[in-house]
Amino acid sequence: MVNVEGRWTLVTGASRGIGREIALYMAKQGANLVVHSRDLAHTKNLVDEIKGYNVDCFAVACELSDEKATRQMADDILKRVEIDILFNNAGVQAPSQESFYGIDCEAFVWTYKVNTLAPMILIEKFLPHMLNQKFGRIINSTSGIKDQPEQAAYAASKGAIDKITKDLSAKLVGTGVLINIADPGWIKTELGGPYASHDVSTVIPGIVIGAFAEEEDINGAWIPVQRFRGMSLDEAVAMSPALVK
């Protein structure tokens, strides 16, 4: 299992929900953190909490639907640290369409910018360092939503990042860099809503397996996070080759 102590980890959408769980767990394992949100005020308390684990941490702010701002954020990070582990966790979900066959083009474009293009920009910025050092981990958050065309903008953006992840993984074989897709399930967060099936705490350890795995055969795999519910990190990593898709 990978030792992440001292590894610089970027978590997008870290101010609450799943992102916050990821950031705190990685800090507990000794990783240094860069935590992203739309406003620095949103992560102030999180940064203080993370530093309590005797790791380094700083916050960045950016509206991920803005390509220029996203690229600038990445450049600002690179002026300070190199990223070893990237959690593309931030996401948005457009309001459900009234008609299951309707199309709101603006909603599709906005959702795609945040859920698909922003992760791709960050991969473009941080992957070269990972390849150079022959180590890197990229975890892209996805969704198992299906048969709900009213949610087409969200579902399509996640389907796109799934395909991109699979395609990139083929190029990363043997490089020391792994890329994965993690599906947390329907989680009770601001995005998932109060009627969701799972509490946010259940995403650990499944959501972080991709950061700790050494197995080449999970490169590009879909990680069904809830299958690892209740396991220790060691157990989850050991079981991951058998339980991922």
Side-chain angles (χ1 to χ4, degrees):
M1 187 169 69
V2 170
N3 181 352
V4 301
E5 289 184 11
R7 296 286 190 184
W8 277 100
T9 301
L10 170 61
V11 183
T12 64
S15 63
R16 60 180 181 263
I18 295 171
R20 185 179 180 88
E21 293 288 323
I22 294 170
L24 289 171
Y25 190 83
M26 294 299 291
K28 292 174 185 176
Q29 306 307 310
N32 298 322
L33 270 298
V34 182
V35 291
H36 157 269
S37 65
R38 290 191 181 97
D39 190 312
L40 290 177
H42 297 166
T43 49
K44 184 180 184 303
N45 291 338
L46 176 61
V47 170
D48 292 340
E49 189 171 353
I50 287 172
K51 288 183 176 178
Y53 292 105
N54 296 315
V55 298
D56 291 332
C57 179
F58 65 90
V60 293
C62 174
E63 171 50 62
L64 294 176
S65 64
D66 184 330
E67 177 188 352
K68 183 177 179 180
T70 303
R71 291 185 181 279
Q72 185 61 57
M73 179 189 74
D75 289 339
D76 291 343
I77 291 171
L78 288 170
K79 290 175 184 176
R80 301 180 65 173
V81 300
E82 296 277 10
I83 297 300
D84 306 302
I85 302 169
L86 170 61
F87 284 92
N88 279 315
N89 165 75
V92 295
Q93 187 168 2
S96 180
Q97 299 168 175
E98 291 186 11
S99 166
F100 71 84
Y101 54 83
I103 174 71
D104 182 336
C105 291
E106 289 186 1
F108 265 78
V109 171
W110 172 65
T111 308
Y112 196 84
K113 283 181 177 179
V114 177
N115 295 355
T116 309
L117 296 183
M120 291 172 65
I121 290 169
L122 297 181
I123 290 169
E124 175 190 303
K125 291 288 188 177
F126 301 129
L127 181 57
H129 164 70
M130 297 179 187
L131 292 172
N132 287 339
Q133 70 174 359
K134 295 181 172 57
F135 173 85
R137 299 291 184 268
I138 301 168
I139 301 91
N140 294 324
S141 290
T142 190
S143 170
I145 190 171
K146 62 180 180 179
D147 301 329
Q148 296 182 51
E150 299 88 349
Q151 296 287 348
Y154 179 71
S157 71
K158 291 300 186 180
I161 198 65
D162 294 353
K163 181 67 165 70
I164 292 161
T165 300
K166 287 286 189 180
D167 290 348
L168 278 172
S169 69
K171 297 291 187 179
L172 297 178
V173 175
T175 66
V177 180
L178 300 185
I179 187 168
N180 288 108
I181 313 158
D183 174 12
W186 191 17
I187 305 297
K188 293 176 183 176
T189 62
E190 185 172 311
L191 185 66
Y195 303 110
S197 306
H198 310 292
D199 291 329
V200 70
S201 61
T202 64
V203 301
I204 300 296
I207 199 74
V208 301
I209 287 173
F212 294 88
E214 294 181 341
E215 298 291 338
E216 188 71 43
D217 56 2
I218 76 162
N219 182 39
W222 175 300
I223 299 175
V225 168
Q226 292 299 321
R227 288 192 183 182
F228 300 90
R229 184 173 178 171
M231 294 186 188
S232 69
L233 178 62
D234 286 347
E235 291 171 334
V237 172
M239 289 294 293
S240 60
L243 295 180
V244 301
K245 300 179 182 179

